[in-house]
Amino acid sequence: MGFRVVVAGDIAGVNYKDAIKADLENDPRVDEVIDAGVKQGEDVDYPHVAVNAARMIAEGKADRGIFVCGTGMGVAMAANKVKGIRASTAHDSFSVERLVLSNNAQVLCLGERVIGKELARRLAKEFLNYEFDETSASAAKVDALCAYEED
Ligand SMILES: O=C(CO)[C@H](O)COP(=O)(O)O
């Protein structure tokens, strides 16, 4: 079974969000792409967009998320407010790899005002190359991280 991916972005990230959405819709590894907004021209602040999209993952409606704002940092902070979600900005290939293999993150965050569009599209693609290994040495560290989550 392929990935169900939710994409989201604020007004500063909507162009990359839409480009990545189009790529995912043509990616054979992806079964479903959910667009959590915003639409072009719509202005909803990043905390609302990212929390709404992250909740879809927490509720089991999507497996992965790719969230975009100006820097990638605001959407990451917002997504991490949702219990069970691990999200981070990652703007290079190695970080994207470790985001999944070390941190078992479900959400990659990108900054439209920080990196070029082709790099953003490439990193989004690479994000789906990796699956967390529950038997790896990183698993206990992720468990320890999750244990700090408060109700
Ligand atoms: O990048 C953002 C938040 O991290 C957002 O797209 C713009 O936020 P602002 O600089 O507060 O307008």
Side-chain angles (χ1 to χ4, degrees), residues 23-44:
D23 288 342
L24 293 170
E25 284 170 345
N26 290 302
D27 189 325
R29 300 168 300 173
V30 175
D31 277 353
E32 188 184 357
V33 184
I34 303 164
D35 187 346
V38 298
K39 293 188 178 75
Q40 291 284 344
E42 198 181 11
D43 192 4
V44 181

Side-chain angles (χ1 to χ4, degrees), residues 48-145:
H48 311 298
V49 177
V51 166
N52 177 48
R55 282 180 175 156
M56 292 182 193
I57 299 170
E59 289 164 7
K61 295 174 184 153
D63 309 301
R64 294 282 180 98
I66 300 175
F67 301 172
V68 190
C69 64
T71 62
M73 297 189 289
V75 284
M77 289 182 200
N80 281 311
K81 299 284 182 200
V82 177
K83 192 170 163 60
I85 297 302
R86 290 170 299 281
S88 178
T89 315
H91 282 162
D92 65 89
S93 283
F94 180 69
S95 299
V96 169
E97 177 190 306
R98 297 324 306 175
L99 189 60
V100 178
L101 299 185
S102 293
N103 309 123
N104 194 13
Q106 309 98 325
V107 183
L108 168 66
C109 299
L110 300 168
E112 184 166 330
R113 293 173 175 160
V114 183
I115 60 168
K117 187 176 179 182
E118 296 313 313
L119 177 58
R121 292 176 64 206
R122 178 179 291 246
L123 295 175
K125 216 169 277 172
E126 289 179 6
F127 182 52
L128 300 185
N129 287 343
Y130 305 106
E131 295 258 30
F132 186 65
D133 178 0
E134 297 285 352
T135 68
S136 71
S138 295
K141 300 170 206 176
V142 174
D143 286 347
L145 173 67

